[in-house]
Amino acid sequence: LFHSGRTWDALLERCPNIVLIRKALLDGQPESAAYLRSLAPGDSLELTTMPALMAAHGVDRVSFMKIDIEGGEFSLLRHDNAWLAAVDNIAMEVHRDVGPAEALVGSLRQHGFDVVCTDDFGRPVAPRDSDYVYASRTGALKSGIPVLKSFTA
């Protein structure tokens, strides 16, 4: 679980199989730090890239990735995104005030994902109107709606 907030601490105490990593994901480009403005005064985070984070934790495959990084999704997918080849499914909140969702959708499609965009109510919409993007390379999108398949851990 990659999250920068403190609100998860109590929950994580009850979930020993989840590890909180307090780092900010960047793509190595200076403009990528813009989303860090949401940090509280005095807070700081170590910066890293997705490839470095995956390597540091021995992750070579990601079945499901949730991306909710307050506008940082644009920089995360803009540069150095070869790591997407190791990801099967993505659910992502989109902050259209930071950038065009079409860029996110294009990047995901270039990496072999089927993509569905929805509004806040889960209705399929054009990429330019999306609040959420769902992407899968495993067939987990059915009739334009993301579906959960049962699995064993």
Side-chain angles (χ1 to χ4, degrees):
L1 172 66
F2 310 112
H3 189 272
S4 63
R6 293 187 176 128
T7 59
W8 289 75
D9 292 346
L11 174 65
L12 292 174
E13 289 176 9
R14 296 178 289 170
C15 302
N17 61 328
I18 297 176
V19 176
L20 179 64
I21 301 167
R22 294 187 191 275
K23 294 187 179 188
L25 290 172
L26 298 177
D27 64 359
Q29 305 299 315
E31 71 273 11
S32 300
Y35 83 96
L36 295 177
R37 289 177 289 205
S38 64
L39 286 175
D43 279 356
S44 64
L45 288 173
E46 181 180 336
L47 306 179
T48 190
T49 63
M50 186 61 78
L53 190 63
M54 291 172 71
H57 294 277
V59 175
D60 57 2
R61 191 98 216 132
V62 177
S63 297
F64 174 78
M65 178 178 285
K66 179 181 181 279
I67 301 173
D68 182 358
I69 53 177
E70 306 311 313
E73 62 272 14
F74 292 94
S75 62
L76 182 65
L77 297 180
R78 184 181 304 133
H79 305 284
D80 190 22
N81 57 12
W83 58 269
L84 284 169
V87 179
D88 294 330
N89 300 284
I90 295 173
M92 176 176 15
E93 183 180 21
V94 177
H95 294 81
R96 289 179 282 150
D97 57 322
V98 176
E102 296 92 334
L104 300 173
V105 170
S107 181
L108 292 168
R109 286 184 174 148
Q110 283 180 332
H111 283 86
F113 287 94
D114 292 323
V115 179
V116 170
C117 300
T118 70
D119 64 12
D120 277 333
F121 302 101
R123 297 178 295 222
V125 295
R128 72 177 177 277
D129 299 320
S130 65
D131 296 307
Y132 296 92
V133 171
Y134 300 94
S136 178
R137 65 173 81 249
T138 64
L141 299 174
K142 185 175 183 178
S143 300
I145 305 297
V147 295
L148 296 174
K149 295 182 179 182
S150 62
F151 65 93
T152 56

